[in-house]
Amino acid sequence: MSRTTYYTASSLDGYIADAEHSLAWLLRQEHDASGPLNHAAFLARVGAMVMGSTTYEWILRHERGRWPYPLPAWVMTTRDLPTISGDVRFARGDVRGVHAGMLAAADGRDLWVVGGGDLAGQFADAGLLDELVVSLAPVTLGAGAPLLPRALDLRLEELARNGAFACARYTVLDGGSAAR
Ligand SMILES: NC(=O)c1ccc[n+]([C@@H]2O[C@H](COP(=O)([O-])OP(=O)(O)OC[C@H]3O[C@@H](n4cnc5c(N)ncnc54)[C@H](OP(=O)(O)O)[C@@H]3O)[C@@H](O)[C@H]2O)c1
């Protein structure tokens, strides 16, 4: 059965981007690309992904117009955003319909909620978030885009060090689709 996982990196004080939507604090950290809870191993089990428009626009800027993911991707937005060559689908509103489309596209593989935090929260609100994998960078930012602005109970399943990061994998206890 497909799991829906919010896989991200965060500052120690719970921000996934700084107040200017910069990830410079994250990208300068040392990490082992083949170490515990690494991104490539996670991506290998994923069949579809979803992100909010700020994250999409960050990827467009960072990758200079190249779409880096060989996966069907949904982008949540109320706006008309620039398109890109790649399997990118724009959607808005209730995430339940998006989740159903992602499940069909993923064909048994897992689903990746890329972020931001409120979008992950929308999946949790709908009872559709199963797992959180977070890599904590050794920085505090004081302000920025929140990791997951919801009240949720989680169970720690895995804990490891990867370079500068403290990496943790949690099951979402309330309302994950695995619980239904
Ligand atoms: N640390 C990491 O690993 C990591 C991971 C992911 C993202 N990030 C960064 O974190 C920041 C996240 O930004 P953010 O907090 O603004 O979150 P975001 O989810 O990237 O973007 C939020 C926007 O998405 C659109 N949206 C969200 N849900 C929607 C829905 N149900 N229907 C229609 N539109 C919807 C809305 O914009 P519009 O309707 O105005 O388009 C909303 O303002 C970005 O800077 C990103 O680059 C970091």
PDB file of all heavy atoms in Angstrom, residues 7-10 16-17 21 23 25-26 51-56 58 76-79 81 91-95 114-119 122 145-146, ligand 1:
ATOM      1  N   TYR A   7       8.569  14.472   3.275  1.00  0.00           N
ATOM      2  CA  TYR A   7      10.023  14.314   3.424  1.00  0.00           C
ATOM      3  C   TYR A   7      10.634  15.687   3.204  1.00  0.00           C
ATOM      4  O   TYR A   7      10.473  16.289   2.127  1.00  0.00           O
ATOM      5  CB  TYR A   7      10.532  13.319   2.380  1.00  0.00           C
ATOM      6  CG  TYR A   7      12.026  13.069   2.400  1.00  0.00           C
ATOM      7  CD1 TYR A   7      12.549  11.888   2.932  1.00  0.00           C
ATOM      8  CD2 TYR A   7      12.919  13.995   1.869  1.00  0.00           C
ATOM      9  CE1 TYR A   7      13.921  11.658   2.936  1.00  0.00           C
ATOM     10  CE2 TYR A   7      14.286  13.767   1.876  1.00  0.00           C
ATOM     11  CZ  TYR A   7      14.776  12.601   2.412  1.00  0.00           C
ATOM     12  OH  TYR A   7      16.131  12.367   2.425  1.00  0.00           O
ATOM     13  N   THR A   8      11.319  16.199   4.195  1.00  0.00           N
ATOM     14  CA  THR A   8      11.822  17.571   4.099  1.00  0.00           C
ATOM     15  C   THR A   8      13.027  17.767   5.011  1.00  0.00           C
ATOM     16  O   THR A   8      13.421  16.856   5.743  1.00  0.00           O
ATOM     17  CB  THR A   8      10.701  18.576   4.446  1.00  0.00           C
ATOM     18  OG1 THR A   8      11.115  19.897   4.099  1.00  0.00           O
ATOM     19  CG2 THR A   8      10.335  18.528   5.924  1.00  0.00           C
ATOM     20  N   ALA A   9      13.581  18.961   4.950  1.00  0.00           N
ATOM     21  CA  ALA A   9      14.646  19.359   5.871  1.00  0.00           C
ATOM     22  C   ALA A   9      14.199  20.634   6.571  1.00  0.00           C
ATOM     23  O   ALA A   9      13.478  21.455   5.988  1.00  0.00           O
ATOM     24  CB  ALA A   9      15.949  19.596   5.117  1.00  0.00           C
ATOM     25  N   SER A  10      14.633  20.765   7.806  1.00  0.00           N
ATOM     26  CA  SER A  10      14.149  21.880   8.627  1.00  0.00           C
ATOM     27  C   SER A  10      15.282  22.442   9.463  1.00  0.00           C
ATOM     28  O   SER A  10      16.241  21.740   9.790  1.00  0.00           O
ATOM     29  CB  SER A  10      13.037  21.348   9.556  1.00  0.00           C
ATOM     30  OG  SER A  10      12.649  22.334  10.478  1.00  0.00           O
ATOM     31  N   ILE A  16      11.332  25.530   7.201  1.00  0.00           N
ATOM     32  CA  ILE A  16      11.876  24.830   6.029  1.00  0.00           C
ATOM     33  C   ILE A  16      12.465  25.807   5.011  1.00  0.00           C
ATOM     34  O   ILE A  16      13.060  25.389   4.019  1.00  0.00           O
ATOM     35  CB  ILE A  16      10.830  23.905   5.374  1.00  0.00           C
ATOM     36  CG1 ILE A  16       9.607  24.686   4.875  1.00  0.00           C
ATOM     37  CG2 ILE A  16      10.418  22.796   6.328  1.00  0.00           C
ATOM     38  CD1 ILE A  16       8.670  23.850   4.014  1.00  0.00           C
ATOM     39  N   ALA A  17      12.241  27.078   5.192  1.00  0.00           N
ATOM     40  CA  ALA A  17      12.893  28.130   4.399  1.00  0.00           C
ATOM     41  C   ALA A  17      12.986  29.349   5.304  1.00  0.00           C
ATOM     42  O   ALA A  17      12.202  29.494   6.246  1.00  0.00           O
ATOM     43  CB  ALA A  17      12.081  28.470   3.149  1.00  0.00           C
ATOM     44  N   HIS A  21      12.549  33.066   1.811  1.00  0.00           N
ATOM     45  CA  HIS A  21      12.420  31.827   1.024  1.00  0.00           C
ATOM     46  C   HIS A  21      13.761  31.350   0.484  1.00  0.00           C
ATOM     47  O   HIS A  21      13.832  30.708  -0.565  1.00  0.00           O
ATOM     48  CB  HIS A  21      11.373  31.973  -0.093  1.00  0.00           C
ATOM     49  CG  HIS A  21       9.974  31.971   0.445  1.00  0.00           C
ATOM     50  ND1 HIS A  21       9.388  30.855   1.012  1.00  0.00           N
ATOM     51  CD2 HIS A  21       9.065  32.960   0.552  1.00  0.00           C
ATOM     52  CE1 HIS A  21       8.181  31.142   1.423  1.00  0.00           C
ATOM     53  NE2 HIS A  21       7.955  32.426   1.169  1.00  0.00           N
ATOM     54  N   LEU A  23      17.132  28.923   0.858  1.00  0.00           N
ATOM     55  CA  LEU A  23      17.564  27.658   1.451  1.00  0.00           C
ATOM     56  C   LEU A  23      19.086  27.626   1.603  1.00  0.00           C
ATOM     57  O   LEU A  23      19.675  26.561   1.739  1.00  0.00           O
ATOM     58  CB  LEU A  23      17.106  26.478   0.585  1.00  0.00           C
ATOM     59  CG  LEU A  23      15.596  26.302   0.409  1.00  0.00           C
ATOM     60  CD1 LEU A  23      15.303  25.037  -0.398  1.00  0.00           C
ATOM     61  CD2 LEU A  23      14.882  26.239   1.746  1.00  0.00           C
ATOM     62  N   TRP A  25      20.945  28.376   4.052  1.00  0.00           N
ATOM     63  CA  TRP A  25      21.288  27.787   5.352  1.00  0.00           C
ATOM     64  C   TRP A  25      21.288  26.253   5.293  1.00  0.00           C
ATOM     65  O   TRP A  25      21.999  25.604   6.059  1.00  0.00           O
ATOM     66  CB  TRP A  25      20.268  28.241   6.415  1.00  0.00           C
ATOM     67  CG  TRP A  25      18.854  27.903   6.018  1.00  0.00           C
ATOM     68  CD1 TRP A  25      18.020  28.656   5.243  1.00  0.00           C
ATOM     69  CD2 TRP A  25      18.135  26.706   6.318  1.00  0.00           C
ATOM     70  NE1 TRP A  25      16.821  27.998   5.046  1.00  0.00           N
ATOM     71  CE2 TRP A  25      16.867  26.807   5.692  1.00  0.00           C
ATOM     72  CE3 TRP A  25      18.422  25.553   7.063  1.00  0.00           C
ATOM     73  CZ2 TRP A  25      15.902  25.808   5.783  1.00  0.00           C
ATOM     74  CZ3 TRP A  25      17.464  24.562   7.152  1.00  0.00           C
ATOM     75  CH2 TRP A  25      16.219  24.694   6.525  1.00  0.00           C
ATOM     76  N   LEU A  26      20.485  25.703   4.361  1.00  0.00           N
ATOM     77  CA  LEU A  26      20.364  24.250   4.222  1.00  0.00           C
ATOM     78  C   LEU A  26      21.421  23.700   3.268  1.00  0.00           C
ATOM     79  O   LEU A  26      22.099  22.714   3.555  1.00  0.00           O
ATOM     80  CB  LEU A  26      18.951  23.945   3.685  1.00  0.00           C
ATOM     81  CG  LEU A  26      18.622  22.519   3.310  1.00  0.00           C
ATOM     82  CD1 LEU A  26      18.730  21.613   4.530  1.00  0.00           C
ATOM     83  CD2 LEU A  26      17.215  22.445   2.726  1.00  0.00           C
ATOM     84  N   MET A  51       3.460  19.584  -4.436  1.00  0.00           N
ATOM     85  CA  MET A  51       4.083  20.740  -3.762  1.00  0.00           C
ATOM     86  C   MET A  51       3.199  21.971  -3.929  1.00  0.00           C
ATOM     87  O   MET A  51       2.350  22.018  -4.835  1.00  0.00           O
ATOM     88  CB  MET A  51       5.463  21.020  -4.353  1.00  0.00           C
ATOM     89  CG  MET A  51       5.421  21.535  -5.770  1.00  0.00           C
ATOM     90  SD  MET A  51       7.050  21.541  -6.564  1.00  0.00           S
ATOM     91  CE  MET A  51       7.326  19.796  -6.769  1.00  0.00           C
ATOM     92  N   GLY A  52       3.428  22.955  -3.077  1.00  0.00           N
ATOM     93  CA  GLY A  52       2.756  24.234  -3.228  1.00  0.00           C
ATOM     94  C   GLY A  52       3.499  25.120  -4.221  1.00  0.00           C
ATOM     95  O   GLY A  52       4.621  24.814  -4.653  1.00  0.00           O
ATOM     96  N   SER A  53       2.873  26.227  -4.562  1.00  0.00           N
ATOM     97  CA  SER A  53       3.406  27.064  -5.636  1.00  0.00           C
ATOM     98  C   SER A  53       4.714  27.755  -5.267  1.00  0.00           C
ATOM     99  O   SER A  53       5.565  27.987  -6.132  1.00  0.00           O
ATOM    100  CB  SER A  53       2.365  28.108  -6.043  1.00  0.00           C
ATOM    101  OG  SER A  53       2.072  28.970  -4.972  1.00  0.00           O
ATOM    102  N   THR A  54       4.911  28.102  -3.988  1.00  0.00           N
ATOM    103  CA  THR A  54       6.172  28.752  -3.603  1.00  0.00           C
ATOM    104  C   THR A  54       7.339  27.797  -3.831  1.00  0.00           C
ATOM    105  O   THR A  54       8.405  28.190  -4.331  1.00  0.00           O
ATOM    106  CB  THR A  54       6.146  29.191  -2.122  1.00  0.00           C
ATOM    107  OG1 THR A  54       4.924  29.848  -1.834  1.00  0.00           O
ATOM    108  CG2 THR A  54       7.302  30.107  -1.799  1.00  0.00           C
ATOM    109  N   THR A  55       7.127  26.541  -3.472  1.00  0.00           N
ATOM    110  CA  THR A  55       8.161  25.527  -3.660  1.00  0.00           C
ATOM    111  C   THR A  55       8.429  25.322  -5.151  1.00  0.00           C
ATOM    112  O   THR A  55       9.594  25.247  -5.585  1.00  0.00           O
ATOM    113  CB  THR A  55       7.730  24.213  -2.981  1.00  0.00           C
ATOM    114  OG1 THR A  55       7.548  24.470  -1.587  1.00  0.00           O
ATOM    115  CG2 THR A  55       8.756  23.118  -3.171  1.00  0.00           C
ATOM    116  N   TYR A  56       7.369  25.250  -5.934  1.00  0.00           N
ATOM    117  CA  TYR A  56       7.518  25.110  -7.399  1.00  0.00           C
ATOM    118  C   TYR A  56       8.333  26.272  -7.965  1.00  0.00           C
ATOM    119  O   TYR A  56       9.272  26.068  -8.748  1.00  0.00           O
ATOM    120  CB  TYR A  56       6.131  25.059  -8.025  1.00  0.00           C
ATOM    121  CG  TYR A  56       6.108  25.025  -9.539  1.00  0.00           C
ATOM    122  CD1 TYR A  56       6.515  23.891 -10.240  1.00  0.00           C
ATOM    123  CD2 TYR A  56       5.646  26.123 -10.271  1.00  0.00           C
ATOM    124  CE1 TYR A  56       6.471  23.856 -11.628  1.00  0.00           C
ATOM    125  CE2 TYR A  56       5.593  26.093 -11.654  1.00  0.00           C
ATOM    126  CZ  TYR A  56       6.015  24.958 -12.331  1.00  0.00           C
ATOM    127  OH  TYR A  56       5.969  24.927 -13.709  1.00  0.00           O
ATOM    128  N   TRP A  58      10.434  28.147  -6.431  1.00  0.00           N
ATOM    129  CA  TRP A  58      11.825  28.033  -5.965  1.00  0.00           C
ATOM    130  C   TRP A  58      12.580  27.047  -6.857  1.00  0.00           C
ATOM    131  O   TRP A  58      13.720  27.319  -7.277  1.00  0.00           O
ATOM    132  CB  TRP A  58      11.871  27.572  -4.501  1.00  0.00           C
ATOM    133  CG  TRP A  58      13.277  27.544  -3.964  1.00  0.00           C
ATOM    134  CD1 TRP A  58      13.938  28.565  -3.348  1.00  0.00           C
ATOM    135  CD2 TRP A  58      14.220  26.453  -4.043  1.00  0.00           C
ATOM    136  NE1 TRP A  58      15.216  28.190  -3.029  1.00  0.00           N
ATOM    137  CE2 TRP A  58      15.420  26.892  -3.444  1.00  0.00           C
ATOM    138  CE3 TRP A  58      14.159  25.162  -4.548  1.00  0.00           C
ATOM    139  CZ2 TRP A  58      16.548  26.088  -3.336  1.00  0.00           C
ATOM    140  CZ3 TRP A  58      15.293  24.355  -4.450  1.00  0.00           C
ATOM    141  CH2 TRP A  58      16.466  24.827  -3.850  1.00  0.00           C
ATOM    142  N   MET A  76       0.097  22.759  -6.372  1.00  0.00           N
ATOM    143  CA  MET A  76      -1.127  23.395  -5.879  1.00  0.00           C
ATOM    144  C   MET A  76      -0.991  24.904  -6.035  1.00  0.00           C
ATOM    145  O   MET A  76      -0.029  25.508  -5.539  1.00  0.00           O
ATOM    146  CB  MET A  76      -1.341  23.053  -4.398  1.00  0.00           C
ATOM    147  CG  MET A  76      -1.402  21.570  -4.072  1.00  0.00           C
ATOM    148  SD  MET A  76      -2.679  20.664  -4.950  1.00  0.00           S
ATOM    149  CE  MET A  76      -4.162  21.464  -4.351  1.00  0.00           C
ATOM    150  N   THR A  77      -1.970  25.492  -6.709  1.00  0.00           N
ATOM    151  CA  THR A  77      -1.942  26.943  -6.895  1.00  0.00           C
ATOM    152  C   THR A  77      -3.317  27.450  -7.302  1.00  0.00           C
ATOM    153  O   THR A  77      -4.096  26.717  -7.905  1.00  0.00           O
ATOM    154  CB  THR A  77      -0.899  27.353  -7.954  1.00  0.00           C
ATOM    155  OG1 THR A  77      -0.820  28.787  -7.989  1.00  0.00           O
ATOM    156  CG2 THR A  77      -1.240  26.844  -9.348  1.00  0.00           C
ATOM    157  N   THR A  78      -3.574  28.721  -6.967  1.00  0.00           N
ATOM    158  CA  THR A  78      -4.772  29.401  -7.469  1.00  0.00           C
ATOM    159  C   THR A  78      -4.415  30.318  -8.629  1.00  0.00           C
ATOM    160  O   THR A  78      -5.265  31.042  -9.136  1.00  0.00           O
ATOM    161  CB  THR A  78      -5.415  30.248  -6.351  1.00  0.00           C
ATOM    162  OG1 THR A  78      -4.439  31.172  -5.866  1.00  0.00           O
ATOM    163  CG2 THR A  78      -5.916  29.366  -5.210  1.00  0.00           C
ATOM    164  N   ARG A  79      -3.127  30.307  -9.023  1.00  0.00           N
ATOM    165  CA  ARG A  79      -2.658  31.235 -10.053  1.00  0.00           C
ATOM    166  C   ARG A  79      -2.294  30.491 -11.340  1.00  0.00           C
ATOM    167  O   ARG A  79      -2.175  29.272 -11.347  1.00  0.00           O
ATOM    168  CB  ARG A  79      -1.425  31.995  -9.537  1.00  0.00           C
ATOM    169  CG  ARG A  79      -1.735  32.897  -8.361  1.00  0.00           C
ATOM    170  CD  ARG A  79      -0.466  33.540  -7.814  1.00  0.00           C
ATOM    171  NE  ARG A  79       0.395  32.581  -7.163  1.00  0.00           N
ATOM    172  CZ  ARG A  79       1.727  32.524  -7.295  1.00  0.00           C
ATOM    173  NH1 ARG A  79       2.358  33.394  -8.071  1.00  0.00           N
ATOM    174  NH2 ARG A  79       2.445  31.615  -6.661  1.00  0.00           N
ATOM    175  N   LEU A  81       0.625  29.689 -13.380  1.00  0.00           N
ATOM    176  CA  LEU A  81       2.084  29.692 -13.207  1.00  0.00           C
ATOM    177  C   LEU A  81       2.771  29.290 -14.503  1.00  0.00           C
ATOM    178  O   LEU A  81       2.171  28.624 -15.347  1.00  0.00           O
ATOM    179  CB  LEU A  81       2.467  28.695 -12.101  1.00  0.00           C
ATOM    180  CG  LEU A  81       1.992  29.056 -10.699  1.00  0.00           C
ATOM    181  CD1 LEU A  81       2.351  27.952  -9.714  1.00  0.00           C
ATOM    182  CD2 LEU A  81       2.592  30.376 -10.253  1.00  0.00           C
ATOM    183  N   ALA A  91      -3.167  22.062  -9.791  1.00  0.00           N
ATOM    184  CA  ALA A  91      -4.436  21.736  -9.147  1.00  0.00           C
ATOM    185  C   ALA A  91      -4.694  22.755  -8.055  1.00  0.00           C
ATOM    186  O   ALA A  91      -3.787  23.476  -7.625  1.00  0.00           O
ATOM    187  CB  ALA A  91      -4.390  20.326  -8.568  1.00  0.00           C
ATOM    188  N   ARG A  92      -5.935  22.803  -7.600  1.00  0.00           N
ATOM    189  CA  ARG A  92      -6.285  23.726  -6.517  1.00  0.00           C
ATOM    190  C   ARG A  92      -7.369  23.104  -5.652  1.00  0.00           C
ATOM    191  O   ARG A  92      -8.048  22.173  -6.065  1.00  0.00           O
ATOM    192  CB  ARG A  92      -6.773  25.058  -7.077  1.00  0.00           C
ATOM    193  CG  ARG A  92      -8.079  24.983  -7.847  1.00  0.00           C
ATOM    194  CD  ARG A  92      -8.551  26.362  -8.258  1.00  0.00           C
ATOM    195  NE  ARG A  92      -7.653  26.968  -9.235  1.00  0.00           N
ATOM    196  CZ  ARG A  92      -7.714  28.246  -9.624  1.00  0.00           C
ATOM    197  NH1 ARG A  92      -8.621  29.052  -9.084  1.00  0.00           N
ATOM    198  NH2 ARG A  92      -6.899  28.724 -10.532  1.00  0.00           N
ATOM    199  N   GLY A  93      -7.508  23.648  -4.444  1.00  0.00           N
ATOM    200  CA  GLY A  93      -8.607  23.234  -3.578  1.00  0.00           C
ATOM    201  C   GLY A  93      -8.292  21.984  -2.778  1.00  0.00           C
ATOM    202  O   GLY A  93      -7.165  21.768  -2.353  1.00  0.00           O
ATOM    203  N   ASP A  94      -9.338  21.179  -2.570  1.00  0.00           N
ATOM    204  CA  ASP A  94      -9.270  20.013  -1.691  1.00  0.00           C
ATOM    205  C   ASP A  94      -8.181  19.032  -2.151  1.00  0.00           C
ATOM    206  O   ASP A  94      -8.170  18.616  -3.314  1.00  0.00           O
ATOM    207  CB  ASP A  94     -10.647  19.321  -1.730  1.00  0.00           C
ATOM    208  CG  ASP A  94     -10.823  18.337  -0.589  1.00  0.00           C
ATOM    209  OD1 ASP A  94      -9.830  17.688  -0.194  1.00  0.00           O
ATOM    210  OD2 ASP A  94     -11.959  18.214  -0.103  1.00  0.00           O
ATOM    211  N   VAL A  95      -7.309  18.670  -1.230  1.00  0.00           N
ATOM    212  CA  VAL A  95      -6.198  17.791  -1.628  1.00  0.00           C
ATOM    213  C   VAL A  95      -6.640  16.332  -1.806  1.00  0.00           C
ATOM    214  O   VAL A  95      -5.864  15.517  -2.326  1.00  0.00           O
ATOM    215  CB  VAL A  95      -5.019  17.844  -0.605  1.00  0.00           C
ATOM    216  CG1 VAL A  95      -4.412  19.238  -0.588  1.00  0.00           C
ATOM    217  CG2 VAL A  95      -5.458  17.402   0.780  1.00  0.00           C
ATOM    218  N   VAL A 114       6.128  17.327  -0.885  1.00  0.00           N
ATOM    219  CA  VAL A 114       7.413  18.050  -0.865  1.00  0.00           C
ATOM    220  C   VAL A 114       7.343  19.217   0.121  1.00  0.00           C
ATOM    221  O   VAL A 114       8.316  19.579   0.767  1.00  0.00           O
ATOM    222  CB  VAL A 114       7.740  18.574  -2.279  1.00  0.00           C
ATOM    223  CG1 VAL A 114       9.115  19.239  -2.323  1.00  0.00           C
ATOM    224  CG2 VAL A 114       7.677  17.449  -3.306  1.00  0.00           C
ATOM    225  N   GLY A 115       6.192  19.834   0.223  1.00  0.00           N
ATOM    226  CA  GLY A 115       5.999  21.004   1.063  1.00  0.00           C
ATOM    227  C   GLY A 115       5.264  22.073   0.281  1.00  0.00           C
ATOM    228  O   GLY A 115       4.903  21.831  -0.892  1.00  0.00           O
ATOM    229  N   GLY A 116       5.003  23.228   0.886  1.00  0.00           N
ATOM    230  CA  GLY A 116       5.377  23.610   2.224  1.00  0.00           C
ATOM    231  C   GLY A 116       4.579  22.940   3.339  1.00  0.00           C
ATOM    232  O   GLY A 116       3.788  22.018   3.124  1.00  0.00           O
ATOM    233  N   GLY A 117       4.817  23.496   4.524  1.00  0.00           N
ATOM    234  CA  GLY A 117       4.260  22.917   5.728  1.00  0.00           C
ATOM    235  C   GLY A 117       2.747  22.923   5.766  1.00  0.00           C
ATOM    236  O   GLY A 117       2.123  21.950   6.202  1.00  0.00           O
ATOM    237  N   ASP A 118       2.132  24.008   5.303  1.00  0.00           N
ATOM    238  CA  ASP A 118       0.669  24.032   5.347  1.00  0.00           C
ATOM    239  C   ASP A 118       0.077  23.002   4.387  1.00  0.00           C
ATOM    240  O   ASP A 118      -0.954  22.402   4.695  1.00  0.00           O
ATOM    241  CB  ASP A 118       0.118  25.425   5.007  1.00  0.00           C
ATOM    242  CG  ASP A 118      -1.398  25.436   5.126  1.00  0.00           C
ATOM    243  OD1 ASP A 118      -1.888  25.397   6.278  1.00  0.00           O
ATOM    244  OD2 ASP A 118      -2.091  25.421   4.091  1.00  0.00           O
ATOM    245  N   LEU A 119       0.722  22.796   3.252  1.00  0.00           N
ATOM    246  CA  LEU A 119       0.218  21.774   2.323  1.00  0.00           C
ATOM    247  C   LEU A 119       0.294  20.395   2.982  1.00  0.00           C
ATOM    248  O   LEU A 119      -0.663  19.611   2.903  1.00  0.00           O
ATOM    249  CB  LEU A 119       1.003  21.801   1.007  1.00  0.00           C
ATOM    250  CG  LEU A 119       0.544  20.778  -0.027  1.00  0.00           C
ATOM    251  CD1 LEU A 119      -0.913  21.016  -0.432  1.00  0.00           C
ATOM    252  CD2 LEU A 119       1.443  20.804  -1.244  1.00  0.00           C
ATOM    253  N   GLN A 122      -2.561  20.211   5.140  1.00  0.00           N
ATOM    254  CA  GLN A 122      -3.834  19.931   4.450  1.00  0.00           C
ATOM    255  C   GLN A 122      -4.010  18.419   4.244  1.00  0.00           C
ATOM    256  O   GLN A 122      -5.115  17.893   4.386  1.00  0.00           O
ATOM    257  CB  GLN A 122      -3.881  20.652   3.103  1.00  0.00           C
ATOM    258  CG  GLN A 122      -3.950  22.174   3.209  1.00  0.00           C
ATOM    259  CD  GLN A 122      -3.866  22.827   1.836  1.00  0.00           C
ATOM    260  OE1 GLN A 122      -4.566  22.453   0.908  1.00  0.00           O
ATOM    261  NE2 GLN A 122      -2.995  23.817   1.702  1.00  0.00           N
ATOM    262  N   ALA A 145       9.318  29.888   6.738  1.00  0.00           N
ATOM    263  CA  ALA A 145       8.189  29.044   6.338  1.00  0.00           C
ATOM    264  C   ALA A 145       8.118  27.851   7.300  1.00  0.00           C
ATOM    265  O   ALA A 145       9.102  27.125   7.454  1.00  0.00           O
ATOM    266  CB  ALA A 145       8.384  28.555   4.904  1.00  0.00           C
ATOM    267  N   PRO A 146       6.969  27.661   7.948  1.00  0.00           N
ATOM    268  CA  PRO A 146       6.891  26.655   9.013  1.00  0.00           C
ATOM    269  C   PRO A 146       6.957  25.222   8.501  1.00  0.00           C
ATOM    270  O   PRO A 146       6.444  24.910   7.424  1.00  0.00           O
ATOM    271  CB  PRO A 146       5.543  26.941   9.673  1.00  0.00           C
ATOM    272  CG  PRO A 146       4.732  27.603   8.618  1.00  0.00           C
ATOM    273  CD  PRO A 146       5.694  28.380   7.759  1.00  0.00           C
TER     274      PRO A 146
HETATM  275  N1  LIG B   1      13.636  22.610   3.538  1.00  0.00           N
HETATM  276  C1  LIG B   1      13.132  21.891   2.543  1.00  0.00           C
HETATM  277  O1  LIG B   1      13.531  20.739   2.319  1.00  0.00           O
HETATM  278  C2  LIG B   1      12.012  22.474   1.729  1.00  0.00           C
HETATM  279  C3  LIG B   1      11.083  21.608   1.139  1.00  0.00           C
HETATM  280  C4  LIG B   1      10.028  22.164   0.437  1.00  0.00           C
HETATM  281  C5  LIG B   1       9.912  23.530   0.328  1.00  0.00           C
HETATM  282  N2  LIG B   1      10.835  24.343   0.877  1.00  0.00           N
HETATM  283  C6  LIG B   1      10.720  25.798   0.818  1.00  0.00           C
HETATM  284  O2  LIG B   1       9.783  26.172   1.804  1.00  0.00           O
HETATM  285  C7  LIG B   1       9.020  27.270   1.359  1.00  0.00           C
HETATM  286  C8  LIG B   1       7.560  26.877   1.415  1.00  0.00           C
HETATM  287  O3  LIG B   1       6.782  27.941   1.025  1.00  0.00           O
HETATM  288  P1  LIG B   1       5.261  28.081   1.511  1.00  0.00           P
HETATM  289  O4  LIG B   1       5.196  27.963   2.989  1.00  0.00           O
HETATM  290  O5  LIG B   1       4.731  29.318   0.840  1.00  0.00           O
HETATM  291  O6  LIG B   1       4.522  26.793   0.948  1.00  0.00           O
HETATM  292  P2  LIG B   1       4.179  26.203  -0.499  1.00  0.00           P
HETATM  293  O7  LIG B   1       3.289  25.025  -0.200  1.00  0.00           O
HETATM  294  O8  LIG B   1       5.394  25.928  -1.292  1.00  0.00           O
HETATM  295  O9  LIG B   1       3.330  27.330  -1.257  1.00  0.00           O
HETATM  296  C9  LIG B   1       2.137  27.795  -0.677  1.00  0.00           C
HETATM  297  C10 LIG B   1       1.217  28.273  -1.790  1.00  0.00           C
HETATM  298  O10 LIG B   1       0.736  27.151  -2.553  1.00  0.00           O
HETATM  299  C11 LIG B   1      -0.600  27.436  -2.994  1.00  0.00           C
HETATM  300  N3  LIG B   1      -1.484  26.433  -2.384  1.00  0.00           N
HETATM  301  C12 LIG B   1      -1.263  25.671  -1.279  1.00  0.00           C
HETATM  302  N4  LIG B   1      -2.293  24.850  -1.062  1.00  0.00           N
HETATM  303  C13 LIG B   1      -3.203  25.090  -2.042  1.00  0.00           C
HETATM  304  C14 LIG B   1      -4.473  24.549  -2.358  1.00  0.00           C
HETATM  305  N5  LIG B   1      -5.031  23.579  -1.629  1.00  0.00           N
HETATM  306  N6  LIG B   1      -5.124  25.024  -3.467  1.00  0.00           N
HETATM  307  C15 LIG B   1      -4.571  25.988  -4.230  1.00  0.00           C
HETATM  308  N7  LIG B   1      -3.359  26.549  -3.970  1.00  0.00           N
HETATM  309  C16 LIG B   1      -2.691  26.108  -2.886  1.00  0.00           C
HETATM  310  C17 LIG B   1      -0.921  28.853  -2.524  1.00  0.00           C
HETATM  311  O11 LIG B   1      -0.400  29.784  -3.461  1.00  0.00           O
HETATM  312  P3  LIG B   1      -1.090  30.469  -4.745  1.00  0.00           P
HETATM  313  O12 LIG B   1      -2.522  30.038  -4.799  1.00  0.00           O
HETATM  314  O13 LIG B   1      -0.922  31.926  -4.523  1.00  0.00           O
HETATM  315  O14 LIG B   1      -0.281  29.987  -5.910  1.00  0.00           O
HETATM  316  C18 LIG B   1      -0.039  28.961  -1.289  1.00  0.00           C
HETATM  317  O15 LIG B   1       0.218  30.292  -0.917  1.00  0.00           O
HETATM  318  C19 LIG B   1       9.521  27.613  -0.036  1.00  0.00           C
HETATM  319  O16 LIG B   1      10.481  28.643   0.037  1.00  0.00           O
HETATM  320  C20 LIG B   1      10.193  26.322  -0.501  1.00  0.00           C
HETATM  321  O17 LIG B   1      11.218  26.538  -1.446  1.00  0.00           O
HETATM  322  C21 LIG B   1      11.866  23.827   1.605  1.00  0.00           C
END
